[in-house]
Amino acid sequence: MEAEWCEQLREAAKASRPLRLVGGGTRTFLCAGEAGQPLQLAGHSGIVDYQPTERVLIARAGTGIETLEAVLAGEGQC
């Protein structure tokens, strides 16, 4: 998967072609009309780091909002 993304990035850079990052597709209305070839990142999901006391959460691009909300709720956060 990551090798495919790297190749897509190289090709887009070589052709000076913009890419549009797409995760779960839940907020596509926010970028309606934006140019760029979609780069699908939905398979790149999961929480990388979460420190509740510091209120820091690092997640991969394809991580669903439901996952984030559930983890945060477990610590009384939102």
Side-chain angles (χ1 to χ4, degrees):
M1 183 179 323
E2 291 168 7
E4 293 173 27
W5 293 328
C6 288
E7 183 59 29
Q8 286 179 303
L9 289 169
R10 275 190 220 95
E11 288 177 13
K14 191 182 295 184
S16 296
R17 184 180 64 237
L19 292 173
R20 185 170 34 91
L21 306 180
V22 179
T26 59
R27 304 288 188 262
T28 55
F29 63 91
L30 294 174
C31 58
E34 284 192 20
Q37 175 184 347
L39 179 61
Q40 299 292 335
L41 299 172
H44 191 57
S45 62
I47 294 173
V48 176
D49 187 27
Y50 178 42
Q51 300 175 29
T53 58
E54 298 294 324
R55 291 188 165 87
V56 172
L57 187 145
I58 300 171
R60 293 184 176 101
T63 306
I65 190 74
E66 303 83 17
T67 301
L68 299 174
E69 288 175 340
V71 169
L72 292 170
E75 294 293 329
Q77 299 176 345
C78 59

